[in-house]
Amino acid sequence: MLYDRRVEFRRPFKIGEQVLMRDKIPQGKFSDKWLGPMVVVGIGGNGTYYLEGPNSRRLTAAVNGDNLKAFFEHRMMIPDVQVQRAMNQYHAWIDRRRED
């Protein structure tokens, strides 16, 4: 079948794992395509999962695993100390340029 050729195999999720759920009805053209993160609280049959969203609100219906993907938290934030140090170096460079 054509559908079976297009579907990607995704690894099964475990209870307690954080996932993102595909937004089937986005608000606009540039809105997020994924909702979450949500926590898997139950595993149903045929690759379906029961999810719990923000504020511990549980979704009433099971979600197919094809509409989920793993959530990875990115910790790319620069600590404020490094930003302040870079700002001080920048101001010192500007002051040296003005003196010349």
Side-chain angles (χ1 to χ4, degrees):
M1 293 192 131
L2 182 61
Y3 173 79
D4 292 336
R5 281 187 255 148
R6 288 187 5 208
V7 173
E8 297 176 16
F9 173 75
R10 296 184 190 245
R11 66 174 178 78
F13 299 108
K14 299 175 183 162
I15 293 178
E17 191 170 355
Q18 289 187 324
V19 295
L20 296 174
M21 182 176 72
R22 184 186 319 271
D23 188 3
K24 297 261 185 178
I25 308 170
Q27 296 293 323
K29 182 176 180 178
F30 298 109
S31 62
D32 293 330
K33 292 176 178 56
W34 297 93
L35 303 172
M38 300 186 181
V39 179
V40 176
V41 293
I43 301 173
N46 297 327
T48 59
Y49 297 92
Y50 294 96
L51 303 176
E52 187 175 274
N55 300 326
S56 299
R57 294 182 59 187
R58 187 176 282 202
L59 280 92
T60 55
V63 177
N64 192 314
D66 290 342
N67 295 319
L68 301 176
K69 70 177 184 178
F71 172 74
F72 300 105
E73 186 173 350
H74 296 284
R75 297 190 178 165
M76 299 296 289
M77 306 259 325
I78 299 172
D80 196 30
V81 174
Q82 290 180 350
V83 172
Q84 188 62 40
R85 189 178 315 138
M87 186 63 76
N88 291 342
Q89 289 175 349
Y90 173 72
H91 285 296
W93 179 77
I94 292 292
D95 291 341
R96 281 194 307 268
R97 300 274 302 181
R98 286 184 183 159
E99 292 172 359
D100 291 338

XYZ file of all heavy atoms in Angstrom:
828
model
N 0.832 -1.189 0.000
C 0.000 0.000 0.000
C 0.878 1.255 0.000
O 1.970 1.261 0.544
C -0.886 0.032 1.232
C -1.928 -1.024 1.304
S -3.052 -0.581 2.620
C -4.555 -0.773 1.760
N 0.354 2.305 -0.588
C 1.080 3.557 -0.676
C 1.321 4.155 0.719
O 2.400 4.659 1.006
C 0.301 4.546 -1.543
C 0.949 5.886 -1.784
C 2.272 5.694 -2.513
C 0.043 6.786 -2.587
N 0.324 4.071 1.586
C 0.463 4.621 2.933
C 1.598 3.932 3.678
O 2.401 4.577 4.343
C -0.846 4.465 3.708
C -0.721 4.865 5.150
C -0.732 6.205 5.518
C -0.572 3.919 6.154
C -0.600 6.592 6.839
C -0.451 4.289 7.475
C -0.462 5.624 7.816
O -0.321 5.995 9.120
N 1.684 2.621 3.580
C 2.707 1.871 4.298
C 4.114 2.238 3.839
O 5.055 2.181 4.608
C 2.482 0.368 4.118
C 1.222 -0.097 4.820
O 0.801 0.588 5.770
O 0.652 -1.126 4.410
N 4.278 2.626 2.584
C 5.597 3.017 2.086
C 6.015 4.387 2.600
O 7.193 4.679 2.726
C 5.597 3.018 0.564
C 5.730 1.623 -0.002
C 5.887 1.670 -1.495
N 4.607 1.254 -2.049
C 4.082 1.674 -3.183
N 4.732 2.538 -3.919
N 2.919 1.245 -3.597
N 5.045 5.260 2.873
C 5.362 6.624 3.299
C 5.565 6.764 4.801
O 6.199 7.712 5.255
C 4.241 7.575 2.879
C 4.218 7.816 1.407
C 3.227 8.878 1.024
N 2.601 9.517 2.151
C 1.397 10.051 2.153
N 0.679 10.009 1.066
N 0.898 10.621 3.217
N 5.017 5.874 5.588
C 5.086 5.994 7.045
C 6.483 5.633 7.521
O 7.044 4.617 7.130
C 4.039 5.082 7.720
C 4.217 5.071 9.220
C 2.655 5.531 7.356
N 7.044 6.500 8.356
C 8.352 6.230 8.934
C 8.186 5.393 10.193
O 7.241 5.584 10.953
C 9.023 7.540 9.346
C 9.302 8.480 8.217
C 9.872 9.789 8.717
O 10.319 9.847 9.889
O 9.863 10.756 7.961
N 9.117 4.486 10.414
C 9.088 3.730 11.660
C 9.676 4.609 12.750
O 10.756 5.159 12.609
C 9.906 2.442 11.535
C 10.035 1.711 12.838
C 8.970 1.003 13.354
C 11.192 1.781 13.570
C 9.075 0.349 14.560
C 11.320 1.145 14.772
C 10.258 0.407 15.283
N 8.939 4.743 13.795
C 9.423 5.508 14.944
C 9.561 4.553 16.124
O 8.747 3.663 16.291
C 8.464 6.628 15.292
C 8.368 7.650 14.180
C 7.480 8.785 14.596
N 7.213 9.620 13.447
C 7.622 10.869 13.333
N 8.308 11.421 14.280
N 7.339 11.575 12.266
N 10.558 4.800 16.904
C 10.759 3.922 18.047
C 9.599 4.079 19.021
O 9.017 5.162 19.115
C 12.080 4.228 18.726
C 12.133 5.606 19.359
C 13.422 5.766 20.141
N 13.525 7.074 20.719
C 12.890 7.480 21.808
N 12.092 6.663 22.430
N 13.035 8.693 22.275
N 9.251 3.030 19.730
C 8.155 3.156 20.699
C 8.559 4.043 21.870
O 9.722 4.064 22.279
C 7.902 1.715 21.151
C 9.051 0.913 20.671
C 9.762 1.693 19.617
N 7.607 4.782 22.383
C 7.851 5.660 23.525
C 7.552 4.915 24.814
O 6.744 3.993 24.839
C 6.986 6.914 23.430
C 7.265 7.731 22.199
C 6.353 7.775 21.158
C 8.433 8.444 22.078
C 6.601 8.517 20.022
C 8.700 9.193 20.940
C 7.786 9.229 19.915
N 8.194 5.337 25.886
C 8.005 4.720 27.198
C 7.203 5.655 28.088
O 7.177 6.872 27.872
C 9.358 4.433 27.849
C 10.198 3.472 27.052
C 11.563 3.319 27.661
C 12.393 2.411 26.776
N 13.793 2.529 27.037
N 6.571 5.106 29.095
C 5.815 5.917 30.052
C 6.791 6.851 30.772
O 7.867 6.441 31.193
C 5.060 5.019 31.050
C 3.972 4.254 30.303
C 4.463 5.837 32.182
C 3.188 3.293 31.152
N 6.397 8.121 30.871
C 7.238 9.131 31.501
C 8.104 9.906 30.529
O 8.715 10.906 30.903
N 8.169 9.477 29.293
C 8.990 10.148 28.287
C 8.272 11.394 27.760
O 7.057 11.407 27.617
C 9.271 9.185 27.132
C 10.312 9.659 26.184
C 10.712 8.566 25.199
O 10.252 7.431 25.318
O 11.499 8.895 24.304
N 9.030 12.446 27.460
C 8.450 13.668 26.920
C 8.421 13.596 25.399
O 9.398 13.183 24.773
C 9.246 14.889 27.361
C 9.078 15.214 28.817
C 9.741 16.516 29.167
O 10.790 16.854 28.623
N 9.139 17.255 30.074
N 7.270 14.004 24.829
C 7.083 13.965 23.378
C 6.432 15.263 22.908
O 5.882 16.022 23.693
C 6.195 12.772 22.958
C 6.874 11.456 23.255
C 4.826 12.845 23.597
N 6.515 15.505 21.597
C 5.802 16.598 20.947
C 4.698 15.983 20.096
O 4.904 14.947 19.463
C 6.743 17.412 20.066
C 7.871 18.147 20.776
C 8.801 18.796 19.755
C 7.325 19.186 21.720
N 3.528 16.623 20.058
C 2.401 16.134 19.285
C 2.156 17.066 18.106
O 2.156 18.286 18.248
C 1.140 16.076 20.159
C -0.069 15.526 19.423
S -1.513 15.361 20.481
C -1.959 17.071 20.705
N 1.932 16.482 16.931
C 1.673 17.264 15.720
C 0.364 18.030 15.880
O -0.638 17.490 16.314
C 1.590 16.345 14.505
C 1.415 17.083 13.192
C 1.178 16.145 12.018
N 1.992 14.956 12.031
C 3.207 14.848 11.475
N 3.737 15.893 10.875
N 3.892 13.728 11.520
N 0.389 19.321 15.515
C -0.818 20.155 15.564
C -1.545 19.986 14.234
O -1.088 20.465 13.201
C -0.433 21.616 15.791
C -1.633 22.504 16.037
O -2.764 21.979 16.087
O -1.434 23.720 16.190
N -2.676 19.306 14.244
C -3.423 19.021 13.013
C -4.134 20.269 12.472
O -4.380 20.375 11.288
C -4.462 17.937 13.279
C -3.865 16.626 13.667
C -3.812 15.723 12.507
C -3.315 14.377 12.973
N -3.282 13.418 11.928
N -4.464 21.211 13.354
C -5.175 22.425 12.935
C -4.409 23.637 13.454
O -4.767 24.221 14.465
C -6.622 22.427 13.472
C -7.319 21.132 13.104
C -7.389 23.623 12.923
C -8.649 20.939 13.788
N -3.340 24.043 12.766
C -2.571 25.195 13.248
C -3.379 26.487 13.137
O -4.256 26.612 12.290
C -1.351 25.222 12.334
C -1.711 24.408 11.154
C -2.792 23.462 11.560
N -3.059 27.446 13.997
C -3.772 28.721 14.032
C -3.490 29.568 12.797
O -4.340 30.301 12.341
C -3.387 29.507 15.284
C -3.788 28.822 16.568
C -5.294 28.770 16.725
O -5.996 29.693 16.360
N -5.781 27.662 17.249
N -2.299 29.467 12.268
C -1.933 30.274 11.109
C -0.774 29.664 10.367
O -0.238 28.619 10.738
N -0.376 30.331 9.321
C 0.677 29.824 8.458
C 2.014 29.670 9.189
O 2.764 28.735 8.927
C 0.832 30.777 7.277
C 1.854 30.360 6.269
C 1.858 31.319 5.099
C 2.874 30.925 4.054
N 2.841 31.820 2.904
N 2.312 30.606 10.091
C 3.599 30.597 10.768
C 3.525 30.082 12.195
O 4.485 30.202 12.948
C 4.198 32.003 10.765
C 4.453 32.504 9.376
C 3.683 33.508 8.830
C 5.453 31.944 8.605
C 3.906 33.963 7.549
C 5.688 32.392 7.318
C 4.917 33.403 6.783
N 2.412 29.490 12.587
C 2.291 28.976 13.947
C 3.045 27.652 14.082
O 3.436 27.029 13.090
C 0.823 28.800 14.320
O 0.211 27.867 13.475
N 3.253 27.229 15.311
C 4.007 26.005 15.575
C 3.306 24.793 14.985
O 2.085 24.676 15.023
C 4.184 25.807 17.076
C 5.069 26.871 17.691
O 5.952 27.367 16.975
O 4.869 27.185 18.875
N 4.107 23.876 14.472
C 3.555 22.647 13.912
C 3.485 21.536 14.951
O 2.867 20.507 14.734
C 4.397 22.200 12.727
C 4.298 23.134 11.548
C 5.230 22.709 10.433
C 5.136 23.567 9.208
N 5.344 24.958 9.351
N 4.151 21.739 16.077
C 4.188 20.732 17.135
C 3.758 21.354 18.453
O 4.118 22.490 18.754
C 5.596 20.152 17.270
C 6.046 19.445 16.042
C 6.754 19.974 15.005
C 5.785 18.095 15.684
N 6.963 19.027 14.040
C 6.382 17.853 14.429
C 5.117 17.049 16.314
C 6.325 16.624 13.799
C 5.070 15.818 15.676
C 5.656 15.612 14.438
N 3.017 20.608 19.242
C 2.541 21.045 20.546
C 3.297 20.273 21.620
O 3.562 19.094 21.483
C 1.042 20.773 20.688
C 0.131 21.399 19.637
C -1.282 20.876 19.811
C 0.169 22.902 19.741
N 3.569 20.941 22.719
C 4.192 20.197 23.809
C 5.260 21.005 24.496
O 5.344 22.210 24.307
N 6.040 20.369 25.287
C 6.170 18.932 25.453
C 5.045 18.341 26.304
O 4.489 18.998 27.163
C 7.513 18.767 26.158
C 7.684 20.026 26.927
C 7.009 21.099 26.112
N 4.744 17.094 26.018
C 3.740 16.342 26.756
C 4.401 15.075 27.279
O 5.420 14.640 26.755
C 2.556 16.008 25.863
C 1.875 17.236 25.326
S 0.408 16.791 24.434
C -0.134 18.402 23.917
N 3.809 14.494 28.297
C 4.376 13.311 28.930
C 3.497 12.106 28.611
O 2.277 12.180 28.707
C 4.470 13.514 30.460
C 5.034 12.276 31.134
C 5.320 14.721 30.781
N 4.124 11.004 28.234
C 3.392 9.768 27.977
C 2.991 9.169 29.325
O 3.845 8.897 30.170
C 4.264 8.761 27.184
C 3.537 7.444 27.005
C 4.665 9.340 25.849
N 1.675 8.988 29.537
C 1.189 8.428 30.801
C 0.584 7.042 30.627
O 0.312 6.359 31.608
C 0.164 9.362 31.488
C 0.837 10.636 31.944
C -1.005 9.649 30.580
N 0.387 6.632 29.385
C -0.170 5.303 29.145
C 0.082 4.868 27.719
O 0.260 5.692 26.818
N 0.096 3.544 27.525
C 0.314 2.989 26.194
C -0.909 2.170 25.834
O -1.301 1.266 26.567
C 1.583 2.126 26.158
C 2.796 2.972 26.548
C 1.769 1.497 24.788
C 4.074 2.195 26.715
N -1.524 2.507 24.706
C -2.682 1.772 24.231
C -2.271 0.734 23.204
O -1.088 0.493 22.962
N -3.250 0.135 22.577
C -2.966 -0.865 21.554
C -2.712 -0.218 20.208
O -3.050 0.939 19.969
N -2.090 -0.938 19.314
C -1.852 -0.510 17.930
C -1.047 0.787 17.822
O -1.313 1.626 16.963
C -3.167 -0.360 17.166
C -3.898 -1.676 17.063
O -3.270 -2.725 16.970
N -5.209 -1.630 17.086
N -0.078 1.004 18.693
C 0.797 2.166 18.583
C 0.184 3.478 19.027
O 0.576 4.531 18.541
N -0.793 3.432 19.935
C -1.388 4.663 20.452
C -0.873 4.944 21.857
O -0.454 4.030 22.575
C -2.926 4.570 20.485
O -3.310 3.474 21.297
C -3.485 4.406 19.086
N -0.919 6.227 22.214
C -0.388 6.655 23.512
C -1.368 7.622 24.164
O -2.050 8.383 23.489
C 0.967 7.354 23.325
C 2.017 6.444 22.746
C 2.210 6.369 21.377
C 2.801 5.661 23.564
C 3.163 5.529 20.831
C 3.765 4.818 23.038
C 3.940 4.750 21.674
O 4.879 3.915 21.143
N -1.392 7.591 25.493
C -2.178 8.541 26.275
C -1.211 9.573 26.831
O -0.162 9.220 27.373
C -2.928 7.834 27.403
C -3.977 6.884 26.869
C -3.705 5.529 26.706
C -5.229 7.358 26.505
C -4.646 4.671 26.194
C -6.189 6.502 25.999
C -5.891 5.159 25.841
O -6.841 4.314 25.335
N -1.561 10.843 26.667
C -0.644 11.926 26.997
C -1.211 12.827 28.078
O -2.417 12.955 28.239
C -0.364 12.769 25.750
C 0.188 12.035 24.541
C 0.323 12.997 23.374
C 1.514 11.384 24.850
N -0.291 13.474 28.771
C -0.628 14.490 29.765
C 0.086 15.760 29.352
O 1.301 15.767 29.160
C -0.162 14.034 31.145
C -0.609 14.914 32.271
C -0.201 14.315 33.602
O -0.948 13.484 34.133
O 0.887 14.687 34.088
N -0.672 16.836 29.207
C -0.119 18.097 28.747
C 0.287 18.998 29.896
O 0.464 18.557 31.032
N 0.416 20.290 29.605
C 0.788 21.262 30.633
C -0.241 21.301 31.760
O -1.419 21.027 31.555
C 0.811 22.585 29.875
C 0.916 22.223 28.439
C 0.273 20.880 28.294
N 0.206 21.629 32.937
C -0.630 21.725 34.133
C -1.312 20.403 34.463
O -2.421 20.371 34.992
C -1.687 22.830 33.984
C -1.058 24.177 33.762
O 0.012 24.455 34.296
N -1.696 25.016 32.975
N -0.678 19.297 34.124
C -1.172 17.946 34.414
C -2.553 17.689 33.830
O -3.348 16.955 34.400
C -1.172 17.692 35.920
O 0.131 17.795 36.427
N -2.863 18.288 32.696
C -4.144 18.049 32.020
C -3.972 16.885 31.068
O -3.166 16.927 30.155
C -4.588 19.298 31.275
C -4.903 20.446 32.231
C -5.381 21.644 31.518
N -6.590 21.303 30.772
C -7.172 22.127 29.930
N -6.681 23.325 29.735
N -8.254 21.759 29.284
N -4.749 15.848 31.292
C -4.656 14.641 30.481
C -5.551 14.756 29.259
O -6.688 15.196 29.355
C -5.065 13.438 31.315
C -4.832 12.117 30.616
C -5.153 10.974 31.515
N -4.046 10.792 32.437
C -3.800 9.665 33.064
N -4.596 8.633 32.901
N -2.781 9.559 33.868
N -5.025 14.359 28.100
C -5.846 14.338 26.891
C -6.845 13.195 26.999
O -6.511 12.116 27.486
C -4.967 14.152 25.648
C -4.279 15.430 25.172
C -2.923 15.545 25.798
C -4.189 15.420 23.692
N -8.069 13.425 26.538
C -9.124 12.430 26.712
C -8.979 11.259 25.755
O -9.342 10.139 26.091
C -10.512 13.077 26.510
O -10.532 13.710 25.222
C -10.773 14.112 27.582
N -8.462 11.479 24.572
C -8.350 10.410 23.581
C -6.892 9.999 23.402
O -5.972 10.777 23.659
C -8.921 10.881 22.245
N -6.699 8.785 22.940
C -5.356 8.299 22.648
C -4.852 8.953 21.358
O -5.627 9.326 20.490
C -5.369 6.787 22.500
N -3.537 9.099 21.259
C -2.912 9.729 20.093
C -2.061 8.678 19.390
O -1.301 7.944 20.029
C -2.033 10.923 20.529
C -1.334 11.537 19.346
C -2.861 11.948 21.268
N -2.171 8.612 18.074
C -1.385 7.670 17.300
C 0.084 8.058 17.347
O 0.436 9.237 17.272
C -1.880 7.653 15.852
C -1.324 6.501 15.065
O -0.137 6.236 15.121
N -2.179 5.816 14.334
N 0.956 7.078 17.438
C 2.392 7.316 17.512
C 2.963 7.996 16.290
O 4.033 8.601 16.358
N 2.258 7.924 15.129
C 2.731 8.614 13.931
C 2.665 10.131 14.091
O 3.333 10.852 13.360
C 1.895 8.221 12.710
C 2.142 6.788 12.278
O 3.185 6.224 12.682
O 1.302 6.244 11.553
N 1.863 10.609 15.028
C 1.706 12.046 15.260
C 2.561 12.545 16.414
O 2.358 13.654 16.896
C 0.237 12.379 15.526
C -0.622 12.107 14.323
O -0.236 12.402 13.204
N -1.778 11.525 14.548
N 3.511 11.744 16.853
C 4.377 12.111 17.973
C 5.835 12.046 17.550
O 6.204 11.278 16.663
C 4.158 11.153 19.150
C 2.766 11.065 19.739
C 2.736 9.992 20.813
C 2.332 12.395 20.299
N 6.649 12.863 18.212
C 8.102 12.732 18.054
C 8.741 13.047 19.394
O 8.165 13.736 20.241
C 8.644 13.631 16.950
C 8.646 15.097 17.220
C 9.287 15.821 16.037
C 9.411 17.291 16.297
N 10.069 17.989 15.190
N 9.925 12.525 19.598
C 10.628 12.691 20.867
C 10.976 14.159 21.091
O 11.296 14.888 20.152
C 11.886 11.835 20.896
N 10.918 14.591 22.343
C 11.259 15.957 22.720
C 12.651 15.960 23.322
O 12.958 15.186 24.221
C 10.251 16.496 23.734
C 10.623 17.823 24.320
C 10.519 18.976 23.574
C 11.100 17.919 25.614
C 10.867 20.208 24.096
C 11.451 19.150 26.149
C 11.336 20.284 25.390
N 13.508 16.829 22.795
C 14.854 17.005 23.322
C 14.990 18.447 23.778
O 14.814 19.366 22.992
C 15.908 16.694 22.256
C 15.827 15.296 21.740
C 15.290 15.030 20.489
C 16.274 14.237 22.508
C 15.212 13.750 20.017
C 16.193 12.947 22.039
C 15.663 12.698 20.794
N 15.323 18.626 25.034
C 15.460 19.977 25.580
C 16.818 20.540 25.178
O 17.852 19.921 25.400
C 15.337 19.936 27.099
C 15.314 21.289 27.726
C 15.020 21.219 29.212
O 14.657 20.159 29.709
O 15.175 22.249 29.867
N 16.795 21.700 24.562
C 18.031 22.346 24.134
C 18.479 23.316 25.211
O 17.727 24.167 25.651
C 17.824 23.101 22.816
C 17.475 22.203 21.685
N 18.414 21.417 21.062
C 16.302 21.930 21.080
C 17.841 20.727 20.117
N 16.548 21.011 20.101
N 19.707 23.184 25.599
C 20.246 24.078 26.627
C 21.350 24.923 26.022
O 22.503 24.839 26.387
C 20.774 23.268 27.796
C 19.653 22.501 28.451
C 20.066 21.889 29.715
N 18.899 21.210 30.275
C 18.956 20.345 31.219
N 20.095 20.028 31.761
N 17.852 19.781 31.673
N 20.953 25.744 25.072
C 21.909 26.574 24.352
C 21.927 28.008 24.889
O 22.445 28.894 24.260
C 21.565 26.584 22.858
C 21.605 25.228 22.202
S 23.239 24.504 22.195
C 24.038 25.543 21.011
N 21.335 28.223 26.037
C 21.288 29.565 26.595
C 22.667 29.960 27.108
O 23.374 29.155 27.681
C 20.275 29.616 27.741
C 18.923 29.121 27.360
S 17.693 30.334 27.019
C 17.956 31.660 28.056
N 23.030 31.204 26.906
C 24.312 31.717 27.374
C 24.103 32.287 28.768
O 23.229 33.124 28.979
C 24.835 32.817 26.434
C 25.035 32.235 25.039
C 26.115 33.420 26.970
C 25.367 33.266 24.004
N 24.888 31.843 29.741
C 24.741 32.387 31.089
C 24.965 33.899 31.105
O 25.759 34.434 30.331
C 25.820 31.669 31.897
C 26.152 30.457 31.105
C 25.888 30.806 29.672
N 24.268 34.583 31.989
C 24.321 36.032 32.077
C 25.724 36.538 32.381
O 26.110 37.610 31.951
C 23.330 36.511 33.135
C 23.044 37.989 33.011
O 23.110 38.500 31.872
O 22.756 38.627 34.026
N 26.518 35.761 33.106
C 27.880 36.173 33.444
C 28.707 36.314 32.170
O 29.461 37.273 32.005
C 28.522 35.148 34.402
C 29.986 35.470 34.640
C 27.755 35.105 35.710
N 28.578 35.375 31.242
C 29.330 35.446 30.001
C 28.886 36.630 29.155
O 29.704 37.285 28.521
C 29.170 34.153 29.205
C 29.857 32.977 29.839
C 29.674 31.714 29.027
O 28.895 31.679 28.089
N 30.391 30.672 29.395
N 27.612 36.920 29.149
C 27.107 38.051 28.382
C 27.655 39.349 28.960
O 28.091 40.230 28.222
C 25.564 38.056 28.384
C 25.033 39.328 27.757
C 25.026 36.838 27.659
N 27.662 39.466 30.266
C 28.174 40.677 30.915
C 29.659 40.858 30.634
O 30.115 41.964 30.346
C 27.925 40.606 32.427
C 28.246 41.896 33.152
C 27.375 43.044 32.678
O 26.191 42.877 32.436
N 27.963 44.208 32.542
N 30.431 39.770 30.672
C 31.861 39.845 30.398
C 32.099 40.287 28.949
O 32.952 41.139 28.679
C 32.508 38.481 30.643
C 34.019 38.528 30.600
C 34.670 37.180 30.904
N 34.067 36.523 32.042
C 33.785 35.215 32.095
N 34.057 34.437 31.077
N 33.242 34.693 33.167
N 31.343 39.745 28.022
C 31.479 40.126 26.616
C 31.093 41.586 26.415
O 31.735 42.304 25.635
C 30.625 39.220 25.741
N 30.067 42.049 27.115
C 29.639 43.444 27.002
C 30.727 44.375 27.530
O 30.996 45.414 26.925
C 28.336 43.652 27.764
C 27.750 45.043 27.576
S 27.295 45.408 25.870
C 25.794 44.489 25.734
N 31.376 44.008 28.631
C 32.465 44.815 29.175
C 33.635 44.896 28.195
O 34.226 45.961 28.011
C 32.935 44.255 30.512
C 31.903 44.439 31.601
O 30.978 45.250 31.477
N 32.018 43.657 32.669
N 33.968 43.770 27.561
C 35.050 43.773 26.580
C 34.686 44.648 25.381
O 35.533 45.362 24.847
C 35.351 42.350 26.116
C 36.015 41.504 27.168
C 36.195 40.062 26.718
O 35.639 39.646 25.707
N 36.967 39.302 27.480
N 33.453 44.595 24.964
C 32.999 45.404 23.829
C 33.110 46.897 24.148
O 33.623 47.676 23.347
C 31.559 45.025 23.475
C 30.942 45.922 22.436
C 31.347 45.862 21.109
C 29.968 46.845 22.787
C 30.788 46.695 20.154
C 29.406 47.672 21.843
C 29.813 47.594 20.524
O 29.263 48.419 19.595
N 32.653 47.295 25.353
C 32.722 48.705 25.738
C 34.181 49.170 25.863
O 34.507 50.302 25.480
C 31.960 48.957 27.042
C 30.480 48.947 26.862
N 29.811 49.859 26.095
C 29.526 48.118 27.355
C 28.519 49.617 26.115
N 28.311 48.546 26.869
N 35.053 48.303 26.369
C 36.470 48.659 26.463
C 37.060 48.851 25.066
O 37.848 49.777 24.833
C 37.242 47.580 27.218
N 36.685 48.016 24.120
C 37.157 48.141 22.742
C 36.664 49.445 22.115
O 37.423 50.151 21.459
C 36.667 46.932 21.933
C 37.066 46.976 20.503
C 38.295 46.699 19.976
C 36.233 47.331 19.400
N 38.291 46.840 18.617
C 37.015 47.228 18.226
C 34.908 47.703 19.276
C 36.511 47.504 16.971
C 34.414 47.965 18.026
C 35.204 47.863 16.887
N 35.384 49.798 22.348
C 34.825 51.051 21.828
C 35.572 52.245 22.417
O 35.914 53.191 21.696
C 33.317 51.147 22.148
C 32.532 50.101 21.369
C 32.769 52.543 21.874
C 32.492 50.341 19.891
N 35.845 52.215 23.727
C 36.559 53.320 24.367
C 37.970 53.473 23.794
O 38.425 54.596 23.587
C 36.641 53.093 25.889
C 35.275 53.223 26.542
O 34.359 53.826 25.927
O 35.094 52.695 27.669
N 38.652 52.356 23.528
C 40.003 52.434 22.933
C 39.939 53.030 21.539
O 40.800 53.791 21.135
C 40.641 51.049 22.901
C 41.203 50.596 24.225
C 42.125 49.386 24.066
N 41.501 48.289 23.330
C 40.822 47.279 23.896
N 40.717 47.211 25.212
N 40.322 46.319 23.160
N 38.916 52.692 20.772
C 38.774 53.207 19.412
C 38.513 54.714 19.432
O 38.982 55.438 18.541
C 37.616 52.514 18.682
C 37.742 51.017 18.525
C 38.503 50.619 17.351
N 37.893 51.167 16.143
C 38.342 50.958 14.951
N 39.390 50.184 14.800
N 37.806 51.483 13.898
N 37.761 55.184 20.413
C 37.461 56.621 20.503
C 38.701 57.413 20.880
O 38.850 58.563 20.485
C 36.370 56.859 21.552
C 35.014 56.419 21.055
C 33.957 56.743 22.063
N 32.661 56.235 21.599
C 31.639 56.004 22.358
N 31.702 56.247 23.665
N 30.517 55.553 21.862
N 39.606 56.825 21.696
C 40.817 57.511 22.109
C 41.800 57.689 20.966
O 42.600 58.601 20.968
C 41.479 56.752 23.269
C 40.687 56.778 24.548
C 41.262 55.875 25.615
O 42.282 55.208 25.356
O 40.686 55.821 26.693
N 41.764 56.798 19.985
C 42.714 56.870 18.850
C 42.370 57.914 17.876
O 41.581 58.587 17.621
C 42.784 55.525 18.138
C 43.446 54.472 19.002
O 44.196 54.840 19.921
O 43.195 53.277 18.755
